[in-house]
Amino acid sequence: MTGEKSTEPLEAPPLQPAPPCTLVIFGATGDLTKRKLFPALYNLASASLLPAELAVVGVGRYEMSSEALRERLKADLESFATGTPDAARSAWLLERLSYVGGEIGDGATYVRLREALDRVEAERGTRGNVLFYLAIPPDLFDDTIHHLAAAGLIEETGRWRRVVIEKPFGHDLDSARELNRQILEVLREQQIYRIDHYLGKETVQNIMAFRFANGIFEPIWNRRYIDHVQITVAETVGVEQRGDYYEKSGALRDMVQNHMFQLLAFTAMEPPISFAADVVRDERVKVLYAVRPLSHEDVLHQTVRGQYGPGLIDGHEVPGYRAEKNVAPASAVETFAALKLYVDNWRWADVPFYLRTGKRLPRRVTEIAIQFKRAPFQLFRGTAVEHLSSNLLVLHIQPDEGITLHFQAKVPGPDMHLGKVKMSFAYADAFGQRPSTGYETLLYDAMTGDSTLFHRSDMVEAGWSVVAPILDVWQALTPRDFPSYAASTWGPAAADELLQKDGRRWRTL
């Protein structure tokens, strides 16, 4: 009818390929590149999301030819691809790959890199746009970025230059502030992409869509209806070959300060006014600023740490943490951490958030469990119902992505009996399973200039501020009970007591 406006939403346009650019990977011969980055690039190519005008330049300390790196990554792709690689698609990506060898601390390496960038720009038409990915140890971040600046490789006249920085971003609050200060001497905040691969997972990104697109959930997403929230990141593996790194890190630095705090932020954030990058990040960082500061006394009562000992996994004996390679025989580093935190704002006042993470636990699982308050029992007095269970909403993040809602329904029959019911939604069943390493979205976003899923400097420092008192107390007091849990168990008994003294318990997984 003339003059009437359609109420149908406009269909979102399909994703377009990223703009012409060169991806420079520092650490091209390392584990991250072969296991995650190159398979992610292949998946992006398969989805037609990479530009035809693409070049990939690997930088590493070893002397080798570009052809040798191509052969190496071709073999790695066969091993680590999320599906069976297509020969033609692999060839398309590999032919765009070249290599620059040299020490990261040597200025001559960056002269050769500049020459390589000029060459691939002329050959591939990349228009001078460059994304530098630092897949290197964190103690080399600052030096690498300043060498890039000294070589004139981060200037943005008529082009863009961006730098992706892997975690860990600092070792504590002071080091994070110092690293921010150092890199901001030569880069603008808009050029810095601090990556957290957890934010590349579909379910993490879907938390906002689930909360804010569904009118039945957002009105009850607050202290009036929610009793508490549990966030679990459990791993079955030990430290494997990362003993050197883990001895300097531990579970709190490795998992809580970054990954788990971002899950907390997405769960507790207020609705942003748009999906613009800084608008979303503003709301996420507000959550971290609102976390109630822990006094040293609070740390003793609201945090638990543990370290795995030997145990059995699938009938095979596995060593304890202190027997792992490159681990001190009397190490006091935690491989398990559990925290009780409060987000002190209007929405979440007095609702506890329980976080736990650990290695050598019985299952590999990441989930967010929203426990609702019980309904009043009065109506069911005089019936066969003895008690009412709480409703539970679980956001499954890995390994199986989906959402589960637990509630109660009447059991058929003449008497009033209640049974527990579970409604499950799986992404793979509803939308199909797309091969993913978790890095595809993040690489594509960095190429297109969308920083929504990346950390900002204030976000990093806010996270470190929350854990600072915990680090202080744990460093000052040597644990007396390490190892405190056997491999393939759910952590130390003190973690169960953390909830039991509040009249709650961890969700059985």
Side-chain angles (χ1 to χ4, degrees):
M1 186 183 239
T2 306
E4 287 189 358
K5 293 183 179 179
S6 171
T7 58
E8 290 296 314
L10 295 174
E11 284 192 17
L15 286 178
Q16 299 298 311
C21 66
T22 300
L23 172 63
V24 176
I25 303 176
F26 286 89
T29 59
D31 226 38
L32 180 62
T33 301
K34 72 179 182 182
R35 290 177 179 270
K36 299 294 184 182
L37 298 184
F38 205 71
L41 279 175
Y42 172 83
N43 288 342
L44 286 173
S46 298
S48 300
L49 292 177
L50 293 181
E53 306 87 351
L54 173 76
V56 182
V57 178
V59 180
R61 61 165 55 173
Y62 304 109
E63 289 299 327
M64 69 169 68
S65 65
S66 295
E67 184 56 38
L69 180 62
R70 292 187 194 108
E71 289 300 318
R72 181 170 177 164
L73 286 177
K74 180 181 179 181
D76 290 336
L77 191 60
E78 294 290 335
S79 300
F80 298 109
T82 53
T84 303
D86 174 75
R89 186 66 68 184
S90 298
W92 180 91
L93 188 57
L94 288 164
E95 72 179 4
R96 285 160 170 75
L97 176 67
S98 58
Y99 181 73
V100 173
E103 294 293 334
I104 284 180
D106 184 358
T109 302
Y110 299 83
V111 174
R112 292 194 293 275
L113 176 58
R114 186 174 60 229
E115 293 169 351
L117 291 175
D118 290 341
R119 182 175 65 255
V120 297
E121 180 180 356
E123 293 174 354
R124 297 290 176 189
T126 59
R127 303 181 190 174
N129 300 324
V130 183
L131 179 65
F132 299 99
Y133 197 115
L134 306 190
I136 54 179
D139 57 352
L140 298 176
F141 292 163
D142 174 50
D143 195 30
T144 303
I145 291 170
H146 277 81
H147 272 297
L148 288 172
L153 292 175
I154 58 174
E155 297 170 359
E156 291 196 298
T157 306
R159 62 195 183 187
W160 55 257
R161 297 288 166 100
R162 301 171 187 142
V163 180
V164 177
I165 302 177
E166 273 282 346
K167 79 172 186 73
F169 196 89
H171 188 69
D172 54 21
L173 179 57
D174 289 340
S175 61
R177 283 173 172 165
E178 179 59 18
L179 182 54
N180 274 328
R181 185 193 65 78
Q182 290 171 344
I183 64 177
L184 287 169
E185 288 177 347
V186 294
L187 290 172
R188 296 179 299 110
E189 178 65 38
Q190 290 78 6
Q191 292 178 274
I192 305 168
Y193 288 69
R194 301 171 188 84
I195 196 169
D196 182 342
H197 71 271
Y198 258 58
L199 301 191
K201 297 181 182 298
E202 285 291 340
T203 317
V204 175
Q205 299 170 54
N206 191 55
I207 295 172
M208 283 199 299
F210 178 78
R211 284 185 57 191
F212 303 133
N214 295 294
I216 63 173
F217 293 112
E218 179 53 26
I220 60 173
W221 208 267
N222 56 57
R223 58 187 169 83
R224 290 188 61 193
Y225 301 99
I226 292 176
D227 179 77
H228 70 278
V229 178
Q230 295 183 21
I231 301 177
T232 298
V233 178
E235 299 178 282
T236 56
V237 297
V239 293
E240 299 179 308
Q241 304 303 312
R242 301 169 68 230
D244 268 341
Y245 163 75
Y246 214 79
E247 279 289 274
K248 302 170 188 173
S249 172
L252 192 66
R253 289 185 173 97
D254 186 46
M255 296 298 294
V256 176
Q257 179 273 331
N258 39 65
H259 299 328
M260 298 195 76
F261 278 1
Q262 289 309 308
L263 298 181
L264 169 65
F266 274 107
T267 303
M269 67 187 283
E270 294 298 318
I273 61 171
S274 75
F275 284 115
D278 274 333
V279 173
V280 175
R281 297 197 292 184
D282 284 345
E283 297 302 335
R284 281 161 50 201
V285 77
K286 283 179 186 177
V287 174
L288 299 181
Y289 282 137
V291 172
R292 184 185 300 172
L294 296 174
S295 68
H296 288 171
E297 187 69 19
D298 291 332
V299 172
L300 299 177
H301 298 290
Q302 292 180 217
T303 71
V304 172
R305 54 179 163 165
Q307 185 187 91
Y308 67 83
L312 290 175
I313 294 182
D314 295 330
H316 301 287
E317 291 187 6
V318 294
Y321 175 73
R322 292 178 175 181
E324 301 277 18
K325 184 179 179 181
N326 296 322
V327 171
S331 174
V333 171
E334 80 284 355
T335 62
F336 178 97
L339 286 65
K340 179 174 77 170
L341 301 175
Y342 290 96
V343 177
D344 271 349
N345 60 20
W346 188 263
R347 180 185 292 264
W348 297 110
D350 298 324
V351 176
F353 286 76
Y354 298 102
L355 282 63
R356 64 173 169 172
T357 184
K359 291 189 174 295
R360 287 292 187 213
L361 301 183
R363 280 190 60 196
R364 174 179 172 262
V365 59
T366 298
E367 68 168 38
I368 301 165
I370 312 296
Q371 184 85 53
F372 291 92
K373 293 181 179 180
R374 282 189 177 91
F377 183 73
Q378 284 86 337
L379 175 64
F380 296 92
R381 288 174 181 166
T383 71
V385 177
E386 296 181 356
H387 70 278
L388 299 179
S389 299
S390 300
N391 300 134
L392 180 69
L393 178 70
V394 184
L395 308 178
H396 306 277
I397 294 170
Q398 69 175 16
D400 301 314
E401 299 185 346
I403 299 169
T404 304
L405 179 63
H406 301 251
F407 59 97
Q408 294 178 103
K410 183 183 177 298
V411 177
D415 294 332
M416 176 58 72
H417 287 283
L418 297 181
K420 293 182 179 180
V421 179
K422 182 172 70 172
M423 293 177 61
S424 296
F425 152 73
Y427 278 88
D429 294 340
F431 303 118
Q433 190 72 48
R434 288 186 293 178
S436 172
T437 68
Y439 279 80
E440 289 82 0
T441 296
L442 299 172
L443 281 172
Y444 178 79
D445 285 355
M447 289 179 181
T448 57
D450 184 350
S451 57
T452 305
L453 297 177
F454 295 84
H455 296 311
R456 211 167 51 192
S457 60
D458 56 348
M459 198 175 297
V460 172
E461 293 179 15
W464 281 118
S465 294
V466 174
V467 302
I470 307 174
L471 292 171
D472 290 342
V473 172
W474 285 5
Q475 185 173 358
L477 299 178
T478 302
R480 298 178 180 178
D481 62 345
F482 278 13
S484 58
Y485 67 99
S488 199
T489 64
W490 283 108
D496 294 327
E497 294 166 6
L498 181 67
L499 273 71
Q500 287 169 0
K501 63 188 179 184
D502 293 340
R504 302 181 177 100
R505 61 184 177 86
W506 289 110
R507 193 173 103 78
T508 301
L509 300 175

